[in-house]
Every structure is written in structure tokens, then in C-alpha cells.
Amino acid sequence: MSRTTDLTSLWRAIERAGGIDSYVNGQLSERGFLVERREIDTLSDREREAYKKQLKEEAARRLELRREAWQAYKARHIVHLGEGIFWDDHATEDKWDAPDAEERAAENELPPLDGPRDLAEALGLTIPQLRWLAFHRDAATSIHYARFTVAKRDGSERAIWAPMPTLKAAQRWILRNISEKLPIHGASHGFLPGRSIKSNAQEHVGSKLVLKMDLADFFPSVTYPRVRGIFRRAGYREQVSTLLALICTEAPREVVEEGGTTYYVALGPRCLPQGAPTSPSLTNTLCLRLDRRLSGLARSLGWRYTRYADDLTFSLPASHGGEPRLGALLGGARRVVESEGFAVRLDKTRVARAGARQQVTGLVVNGEGPARVPRRLRRQLRAAAHNLEVGRAGPDADPVDRLAGLASFVCMTDPALGAALLGRLRGGSAG
């Protein structure tokens, strides 16, 4: 029998006894260690010494039994989740819980999770394992993420925190069973089945004006309290919402070496990591009201609106006959974004008129045709394919895998051309 099973059986015995104190006293009595209290002044010296010895033995046995009971308690309860995280094992409802929590969860077709044990069972974990995944430390010697960086277009690096297998499995369960089922706005096109950068760009084809705005520090802006609020609004109560939010967030960290030990030191509050499978869907849900308000603002001014992750795009249709009211849109959008807890990157705000190239999520949307990849990229790929075919690819040429990825990007908007380029690239590299 495993230790976990032993502790579970022990806790059941404690519950049947009516709690830890009743269980401990019952065991002491059953084993003959519970000493009947006596007036010490009425005892002889010999009796007093024997009585003290009995009390000392009872105290030692009581301490041993309480230690065992505490281990059993920890096997069935969360107890503590780290620095700055409120937790109460005995809390059932909280004043911030939705008054119709269970009904909301049922409406969203979410699995019923009434407490930590239900969540642990759903994730295929024990309570100690669940606590281990959710526990927060400001300075930790190990974490549940592996860090790597990818190059951004401006030459800087973006840190990606990829979850380790156990945490990733838990996050994938949350993604499939909870976050993907939560409501989102129709203007959202990122990380959704049947939607893509192509569907996002296609909404803005044939425009007089295209306005693009970026949200600053998008994932870091979605902090642990905001994520916990998502799960509460979805229909889960305090305890389950806290655990779900901790599993889906992590603090940005710096790796520090001190005295031969590696520490991962928190640089700020817990937030959505860029690399966790749950992060995109949770941002889409959180942005429901943002998308609703921006869509309404755009519509009131005669514009169209979509969002792909942190990229906001507005466009004024070519058929629009009135004033563009660009200033009203810019000011209104910025106020909405800030009131929803985000910030606009002013240095990346762009306006493109019909006479210039209008590009949305990497695709050109000028004119009435379908959204398409830039002509420059198509030419680059044709030239690369030709160089590979004739054996002129130099040492500084892009790797074939990267070129193939770009050709797959072309496939999304022009399947025939993309497939032809892929064939040429693979054939040329094989030769």
C-alpha cells in the first residue's frame, strides 16, 4: 500500500473520529497512554514521579500522533500556497464569488469543480502535487518553466517561458475543458479554430484608411488577480479559481547565481507567461469587453475593427462617404484601452492610406482582392528557390527550413504558389 493511500485512510479515520483532537485522544485511550488527571498535591513522592513519567509518555505519544495526523491533513488539503497568496482550507464561499456561480459554469458547459479535491482528480494529480504546481515563491531554486528567447523583428529578444511536462499537461486540460469554452467576441481572430492572420486581414480589404495599434506588454498586463477573476466569472468559487489562476500564471523571473545555488527571482507580479498553452485563450476571454467596446466605437464612426492578440486594427471602408473622424477614433480607442487595464504603444501606432501599402498582420489588404503576402516576399522566395536549383546558395543564405516556413505562409493565401515554392525549395536543397 502506498504512502498516499495510507495517509488517505488515516484522514478518513480522523474524520470519522470527529477531528484531529478527538482522533488523537481516542488513539491514546485505545493504546493505554491517556493518563487520568490527578491532584499532584495528594500524591506521594513515588506516585508523583510515576505520574510525571506517565504524562511525559502521553505527551510524546500525543506529539507523534499529531504529526501523523498533520501529514494526513496535508495529503488531503492545500494548507498554504506561498508568499502573498491568500488561502483558507475551510472557506466554501467568498463575497466576491458570483452569486449564481454553479449556474454560470453549467451555462458555459464547464466541468463541475467544487473544491481542490475535484480539481486534483480532474487533472490526475494528488493534492500535494496540485499544491506543488500552484505554489508561489518570490525566490525559488526551481520552477515549472524552461526559459528561452526568440528574436523580434526589431532585433531585440522576446523571452518565452515554456511549461515543464506536468504543468503543461495541467494547462492543456484547463485549455480544453475550461478556457476554450468561455465566451469571446467576434472581432477576435487570434488562436481560434477557423480563424487566423488571414481571416483577420481579410476584414480590412478595400479600405480608405487602415489604423493599426499595439497593446504594450500584453501578456504581462494580464496579472494573477485578473486571471482569477476570469475563472470566478466563469462560475468557479474562490478556492478553485485561485488554484486555476496560479497554474496558469507565473512571475517574470531573473536567473541569479549565489553561493553555487541558482535562484529564480521574481521581478514582478504573476502574469500570463508567453509560452503557456492557456495564455492566448485567457486573453481572448479577458478582452471580451475591450473588443465589444472598441467594435462599438468603430461602428459608430463608420469604421471596422478586429484584434489579433495584441494587434488592434481599424479600417475605414472605401464606400464610406463622410469624414473619417480619425482623431475621434484614436482618442476614443486609447481611452477604452486604458480603462480596460491595458496601454497603447504609441510608437507603433500607424495609419496607412489607400495610396500606400496597407498591411494587416503581415498581409497586404490594398484593393478589393483577397489579403495576400507582400510581393517582396514572393520575389525573395522565387530567387531563393532558383539559387538552390542552380547551386548558387551562398553561406549567408537563409536556411531551407526557414524558407520553407515562409513558403507555408504563402500557402495560406495562395495555395498553388505556396505549394510550388515548397516543392522547388525542397527539390533544390535535395539536389
Side-chain angles (χ1 to χ4, degrees):
M1 184 179 294
S2 70
R3 175 173 170 77
T4 300
T5 303
D6 289 343
L7 292 174
T8 300
S9 300
L10 175 56
W11 183 249
R12 287 176 183 154
I14 292 170
E15 289 182 318
R16 287 195 299 270
I20 291 178
D21 288 338
S22 297
Y23 170 79
V24 169
N25 286 332
Q27 288 295 305
L28 289 171
S29 176
E30 184 179 317
R31 300 178 190 184
F33 293 112
L34 189 63
V35 179
E36 181 181 352
R37 270 28 180 192
R38 302 167 65 182
E39 289 291 337
I40 198 168
D41 293 339
T42 64
L43 303 177
S44 66
D45 290 344
R46 180 179 297 178
E47 290 173 328
R48 187 179 296 115
E49 287 301 317
Y51 181 57
K52 287 181 179 180
K53 185 176 181 180
Q54 289 174 329
L55 289 177
K56 186 178 291 187
E57 180 67 19
E58 178 195 299
R61 298 290 181 174
R62 183 182 297 276
L63 180 60
E64 181 181 333
L65 286 167
R66 291 192 69 85
R67 283 175 177 163
E68 293 174 356
W70 175 240
Q71 293 302 316
Y73 181 88
K74 289 198 299 181
R76 300 287 288 174
H77 299 81
I78 294 295
V79 184
H80 181 51
L81 285 170
E83 305 159 30
I85 305 297
F86 173 78
W87 183 264
D88 181 356
D89 277 324
H90 306 292
T92 54
E93 295 186 9
D94 183 84
K95 67 177 182 178
W96 300 113
D97 289 338
D100 54 349
E102 286 73 19
E103 290 81 359
R104 286 195 187 190
E107 286 174 6
N108 289 322
E109 299 182 345
L110 304 182
L113 301 171
D114 295 330
R117 295 179 196 177
D118 290 341
L119 178 58
E121 184 177 346
L123 296 176
L125 302 171
T126 63
I127 288 291
Q129 288 171 331
L130 179 59
R131 179 171 59 242
W132 171 68
L133 282 185
F135 204 89
H136 174 77
R137 288 184 176 87
D138 287 336
T141 54
S142 64
I143 57 175
H144 298 290
Y145 289 85
R147 182 184 185 275
F148 62 93
T149 60
V150 295
K152 297 166 70 172
R153 281 181 293 180
D154 61 6
S156 61
E157 290 187 335
R158 175 183 284 116
I160 305 294
W161 292 86
M164 298 295 193
T166 303
L167 178 60
K168 189 173 185 178
Q171 291 174 341
R172 286 198 180 281
W173 186 93
I174 295 169
L175 172 68
R176 291 191 305 269
N177 294 279
I178 301 177
S179 60
E180 280 187 340
K181 296 183 177 181
L182 300 178
I184 60 170
H185 195 272
S188 176
H189 286 260
F191 319 107
L192 294 167
R195 297 192 179 189
S196 62
I197 59 173
K198 180 183 177 182
S199 68
N200 182 65
Q202 191 63 38
E203 295 289 327
H204 303 284
V205 165
S207 301
K208 284 184 178 180
L209 292 170
V210 173
L211 167 64
K212 297 193 295 182
M213 307 173 80
D214 270 20
L215 300 180
D217 299 321
F218 186 49
F219 286 106
S221 297
V222 185
T223 54
Y224 159 72
R226 301 180 76 176
V227 177
R228 184 175 56 178
I230 292 174
F231 291 116
R232 277 185 146 163
R233 289 191 296 274
Y236 292 118
R237 297 197 180 275
E238 165 73 10
Q239 287 189 335
V240 170
S241 294
T242 295
L243 289 166
L244 290 170
L246 287 168
I247 290 172
C248 293
T249 59
E250 177 57 279
R253 294 182 181 270
E254 181 178 3
V255 182
V256 176
E257 298 287 340
E258 178 65 34
T261 302
T262 300
Y263 293 94
Y264 300 88
V265 180
L267 300 177
R270 293 180 74 95
C271 58
L272 291 180
Q274 192 161 345
T278 42
S279 294
S281 63
L282 289 171
T283 56
N284 281 338
T285 296
L286 182 68
C287 289
L288 173 62
R289 191 171 65 179
L290 170 75
D291 291 334
R292 184 184 296 139
R293 293 178 67 187
L294 290 177
S295 184
L297 171 66
R299 189 167 52 250
S300 71
L301 298 173
W303 290 67
R304 300 171 291 201
Y305 163 75
T306 64
R307 181 182 59 81
Y308 189 95
D310 56 352
D311 293 332
L312 314 181
T313 306
F314 302 85
S315 63
L316 186 67
S319 59
H320 184 80
E323 291 292 321
R325 302 184 67 187
L326 178 60
L329 178 63
L330 277 165
R334 184 177 176 183
R335 285 191 293 273
V336 169
V337 166
E338 290 175 352
S339 69
E340 291 294 330
F342 295 102
V344 173
R345 285 193 61 178
L346 298 179
D347 62 318
K348 296 195 73 174
T349 299
R350 299 286 186 271
V351 177
R353 303 183 183 275
R357 186 170 72 174
Q358 297 172 330
Q359 195 166 319
V360 176
T361 45
L363 300 177
V364 176
V365 297
N366 293 76
E368 295 299 330
R372 55 209 177 274
V373 296
R375 183 180 296 124
R376 179 181 177 182
L377 176 58
R378 298 197 299 270
R379 289 174 176 169
Q380 175 190 345
L381 288 171
R382 287 192 182 103
H386 175 73
N387 288 337
L388 282 170
E389 289 168 341
V390 300
R392 283 212 311 255
D396 297 329
D398 285 327
V400 173
D401 287 346
R402 181 177 184 278
L403 294 171
L406 293 172
S408 297
F409 177 56
V410 174
C411 273
M412 184 172 52
T413 59
D414 190 336
L417 175 60
L421 287 169
L422 272 172
R424 292 179 63 189
L425 289 167
R426 288 170 178 160
S429 64

